[in-house]
Amino acid sequence: VIVAANFKSNLTREATTTYLATLEESVDGEGVFVFPPSTALQSHSGRVTLGTQNAYPAQNGAFTGEIALDQLDEFGIKTILIGHSERREILGESDEMLKSKFEFFATKGFKIIYCIGESLALRESGFEAVKEHLTHQLSFIDASYKDLIIAYEPIWAIGSGLIPSLEQIKQTHSSLRSLSDAPLLYGGSVKEENIADIVSIYGVDGVLVGGASLDARVFSNLCRIAKNINKES
Ligand code: PEP
């Protein structure tokens, strides 16, 4: 099972270093990812894999405010989050931009967590519309890329405390399974109270966690719960 922490614009470099030390004490096995802000990227050896929340698709160059491959190579970062809804919506990243990021970092052999998800209006218009939207979002990338992980994150569930019903998650993941063999994460308001139910769903290979990942002890607990789940079939 995969458990990934997205800090967004939270925690400092110092806090991230302390966090990683705490997390390493409790993590056993693979599949734990931490995405700190760019200023907190660092060389890290241990079981936890550090990734970047974003990067510009270039080796280096004139891209003010962005980091590129050179800045990731410095710390041995080989994992990237692409397509998060906050980057799509707040930073205005188009599917075409995300496609070029995907292609660049896939060529460089990165593990890519590619995020997709629908708005509340779309969810309310029915499952066929959701399915069509997610299929469209995935059509911009090579869904058979060997180091791809897909994160299904309904936009309306992110940071809202709302989650789709377990049946809706199951239905969505099962439909995504027909489009890709990549591990499928669920993201959106995952916390200690609901992670066991979510990870138990057949077709959910892990979770991407925002708010509940900011405290190392809480996130360690989420990892522990997720790793102890016996899957339904
Ligand atoms: C996210 O932003 O990827 C996320 C899932 O956030 P939260 O857990 O806070 O809903």
Side-chain angles (χ1 to χ4, degrees):
V1 61
I2 296 165
V3 190
N6 173 16
F7 290 179
K8 314 187 184 195
S9 307
N10 296 295
L11 304 194
T12 59
R13 181 178 196 79
E14 191 183 354
T16 299
T17 305
T18 308
Y19 182 108
L20 289 170
T22 306
L23 189 56
E24 286 289 353
E25 280 169 21
S26 66
V27 165
D28 51 0
E30 305 261 289
V32 177
F33 294 87
V34 170
F35 295 88
S38 305
T39 55
L41 291 175
Q42 50 194 270
S43 299
H44 179 74
S45 58
R47 283 177 292 251
V48 176
T49 301
L50 223 58
T52 186
Q53 295 173 19
N54 176 49
Y56 198 79
Q59 186 74 39
N60 52 49
F63 309 106
T64 301
E66 293 287 288
I67 59 168
L69 191 59
D70 280 355
Q71 289 77 39
L72 299 175
D73 282 348
E74 180 179 16
F75 300 118
I77 304 293
K78 296 290 287 174
T79 305
I80 186 168
L81 209 58
I82 298 179
H84 192 281
S85 62
E86 286 154 15
R87 295 209 58 90
R88 291 176 187 264
E89 307 238 303
I90 305 172
L91 285 305
E93 290 193 0
S94 64
D95 285 307
E96 285 72 22
M97 178 50 154
L98 300 173
K99 175 181 163 72
S100 69
K101 287 189 179 189
F102 178 89
E103 285 172 357
F104 180 83
F105 288 101
T107 304
K108 301 299 176 189
F110 271 58
K111 187 177 281 296
I112 298 174
I113 300 190
Y114 199 80
C115 306
I116 55 174
E118 81 285 357
S119 65
L120 186 57
L122 211 64
R123 174 54 76 175
E124 284 172 346
S125 63
F127 184 64
E128 279 311 308
V130 171
K131 196 165 137 187
E132 198 180 303
H133 176 72
L134 300 178
T135 304
H136 178 72
Q137 287 186 316
L138 278 185
S139 72
F140 290 89
I141 64 162
D142 173 8
S144 65
Y145 176 57
K146 66 174 177 31
D147 277 314
L148 173 65
I149 296 171
I150 295 171
Y152 166 58
E153 300 205 299
I155 301 169
W156 52 277
I158 294 180
S160 64
L162 301 171
I163 64 164
S165 69
L166 301 180
E167 200 45 53
Q168 283 174 323
I169 297 174
K170 186 172 182 173
Q171 181 186 38
T172 310
H173 277 235
S174 118
S175 139
L176 289 171
R177 179 53 71 230
S178 66
L179 301 174
S180 175
D181 291 332
L184 300 174
L185 311 186
Y186 167 79
S189 296
V190 173
K191 46 188 180 226
E192 285 168 299
E193 298 76 48
N194 59 23
I195 188 169
D197 287 342
I198 293 169
V199 174
S200 301
I201 299 170
Y202 182 75
V204 172
D205 302 308
V207 286
L208 177 54
V209 187
S213 75
L214 297 180
D215 180 314
R217 293 197 186 283
V218 173
F219 187 66
S220 299
N221 198 32
L222 293 177
C223 294
R224 188 186 54 74
I225 299 170
K227 305 256 173 210
N228 285 321
I229 296 296
N230 289 318
K231 302 288 279 185
E232 68 169 53
S233 49

